[in-house]
């Protein structure tokens, strides 16, 4: 039908696809290419801030490295982020490097649709800025989408003290494997940010993809603390070491001991170490990936299951 043919030319792809992926994802491999060649950082690069857009890694690749994202099924390069080295952080005997993103591009769509889709998306963002991406320029959001070519898992973060309790979703998270650290980048306006700095521990619930509606509903708790654990739309259970309420139906529950935190632009960058986690169930976890990568996979009959 002619409407199906013309739709890509008048309507952009969704910026984000919410997908079900068995953790850890193996769809895309990331390589940090710098002065000494390329290093696999699939499990060793995370977003440390959105404004400016900053990437953290245990690997120091020099002043002007790039991250290359490769689809593991096709072997094709699907995106590149160009970086500029900022500073090195030393925490608990480990060293991390922060890089500012200077440019990014993807190869998931053919030209000219790639350029046209980007123009349509950017126009939409300028007309209707929304959510946390309202603090970013459209060009920076496009760079962030490249960083999400490695599908990013969503977790529910639990905070529990006598005077403050909360649970909210995050996807600016992940391991920095070479250092043994784990990071979270939380917007500095989050109501629990200071409590996390003071208590130094949280629980992370890796949630099944089917829990998307409940997870998204908890986004309001970035601004408002939870009044009572019984008000949650699902049951909770206590984490193994610290007894922090976590999702009872989670696939996995981690406890994170926070060792370091610092302001980086719009976000507070937390670094810590994970205690031995509890695997509660098998299944696909809620993940986010860019719409253009889902389109790339759909054309090859290997699309992620969307939720």
């Amino acid at each position: 039908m002619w409407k199906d043919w013309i739709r890509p030319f008048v309507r952009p792809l969704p910026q984000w696809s919410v997908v079900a992926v068995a953790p850890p994802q193996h769809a895309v491999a990331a390589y940090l290419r710098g002065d000494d060649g390329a290093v696999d950082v699939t499990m060793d690069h995370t977003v440390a801030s959105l404004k400016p857009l900053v990437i953290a890694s245990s690997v120091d690749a020099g002043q002007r490295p790039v991250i290359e994202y490769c689809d593991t099924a096709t072997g094709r390069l699907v995106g590149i982020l160009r970086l500029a080295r900022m500073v090195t952080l030393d925490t608990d005997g480990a060293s991390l490097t922060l890089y500012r993103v200077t440019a990014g591009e993807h190869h998931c769509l053919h030209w000219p649709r790639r350029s046209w889709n980007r123009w349509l998306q950017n126009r939409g963002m300028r007309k209707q800025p929304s959510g946390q991406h309202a603090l970013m320029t459209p060009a920076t959001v496009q760079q962030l989408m490249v960083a999400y070519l490695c599908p990013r898992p969503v977790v529910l973060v639990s905070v529990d003290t006598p005077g403050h309790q909360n649970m909210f979703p995050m996807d600016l998270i992940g391991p920095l494997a070479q250092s043994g650290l784990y990071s979270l980048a939380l917007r500095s306006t989050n109501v629990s940010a200071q409590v996390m700095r003071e208590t130094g521990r949280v629980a992370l619930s890796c949630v099944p993809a089917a829990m998307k509606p409940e997870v998204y509903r908890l986004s309001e708790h970035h601004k408002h603390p939870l009044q009572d654990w019984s008000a949650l739309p699902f049951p909770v259970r206590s984490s193994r070491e610290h007894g922090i309420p976590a999702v009872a139906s989670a696939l996995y529950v981690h406890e994170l001991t926070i060792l370091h935190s610092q302001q980086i632009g719009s976000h507070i960058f937390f670094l810590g170490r994970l205690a031995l986690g509890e695997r509660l169930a098998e299944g696909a976890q809620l993940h986010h990936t860019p719409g253009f990568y889902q389109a790339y996979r759909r054309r090859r009959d290997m699309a992620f299951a969307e939720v």
Side-chain angles (χ1 to χ4, degrees):
M1 184 178 291
W2 68 271
K3 288 184 180 180
D4 294 330
W5 180 85
I6 201 172
R7 186 176 291 114
F9 298 96
V10 297
R11 187 181 301 171
L13 289 168
Q15 285 180 273
W16 306 103
S17 289
V18 186
V19 297
V21 179
Q25 72 82 25
H26 297 291
V28 174
Y31 301 94
L32 183 59
R33 187 175 297 278
D35 296 342
D36 299 320
V39 178
D40 188 334
V41 292
T42 307
M43 300 295 290
D44 202 327
H45 76 294
T46 61
V47 176
S49 170
L50 293 182
K51 185 179 181 181
L53 183 55
V54 176
I55 300 292
S57 176
S58 306
V59 179
D60 186 342
Q63 295 300 315
R64 296 282 177 179
V66 299
I67 299 179
E68 300 174 343
Y69 295 92
C70 298
D71 181 87
T72 57
T74 64
R76 294 189 178 184
L77 181 70
V78 289
I80 297 176
L81 283 181
R82 304 186 187 281
L83 311 175
R85 190 178 186 277
M86 293 173 60
V87 68
T88 297
L89 302 179
D90 293 311
T91 301
D92 198 42
S95 180
L96 302 178
T97 302
L98 299 181
Y99 302 93
R100 182 172 54 84
V101 177
T102 60
E105 60 193 60
H106 75 85
H107 305 293
C108 297
L109 304 175
H110 297 300
W111 187 90
R113 191 186 178 195
R114 180 170 64 242
S115 298
W116 179 241
N117 182 71
R118 181 175 61 247
W119 184 87
L120 289 172
Q121 288 181 334
N122 290 352
R123 183 185 65 169
M125 284 186 275
R126 292 189 187 97
K127 284 186 174 181
Q128 295 181 320
S130 61
Q132 65 178 356
H133 301 146
L135 58 84
M136 307 166 70
T137 66
T140 308
V141 175
Q142 294 287 345
Q143 295 163 6
L144 179 66
M145 286 190 277
V146 174
Y148 275 61
L149 282 167
C150 283
R152 297 289 176 174
V154 181
V155 301
L156 284 173
V157 179
S158 301
V159 184
D160 188 42
T161 69
H164 183 97
Q165 53 199 14
N166 209 0
M167 183 181 284
F168 50 85
M170 285 189 70
D171 67 357
L172 297 182
I173 60 164
L176 297 163
Q178 187 169 300
S179 66
L181 297 173
Y182 194 94
S183 78
L184 304 114
L186 184 62
R187 194 162 174 177
S188 57
T189 54
N190 181 285
V191 70
S192 299
Q194 187 57 38
V195 176
M196 289 169 59
R197 291 180 120 168
E198 292 170 358
T199 61
R201 60 190 186 216
V202 295
L204 309 178
S205 300
C206 303
V207 290
M211 288 186 65
K212 171 190 169 182
E214 294 89 345
V215 170
Y216 279 22
R217 197 181 312 160
L218 295 185
S219 294
E220 65 183 37
H221 293 298
H222 282 281
K223 295 182 178 180
H224 309 288
L226 187 67
Q227 295 303 310
D228 189 271
W229 291 112
S230 63
L232 290 170
F234 43 72
V236 296
R237 67 193 303 274
S238 296
S239 63
R240 179 181 293 169
E241 286 196 22
H242 301 302
I244 302 172
V247 180
S249 56
L251 303 175
Y252 213 96
V253 174
H254 298 282
E255 290 177 283
L256 179 70
T257 300
I258 297 169
L259 304 171
H260 175 82
S261 66
Q262 72 177 73
Q263 188 92 27
I264 303 177
S266 59
H267 284 61
I268 299 175
F269 186 53
F270 292 92
L271 289 168
R273 294 194 186 275
L274 294 176
L276 181 64
E278 300 175 80
R279 179 173 292 281
L280 306 177
E282 298 290 338
Q285 187 176 346
L286 193 65
H287 281 69
H288 292 151
T289 200
F292 51 68
Y293 182 53
Q294 178 72 326
Y296 174 92
R297 294 183 66 88
R298 186 176 291 115
R299 288 200 312 273
R300 291 159 176 80
D301 297 321
M302 55 181 193
F304 294 123
E306 294 193 5
V307 292

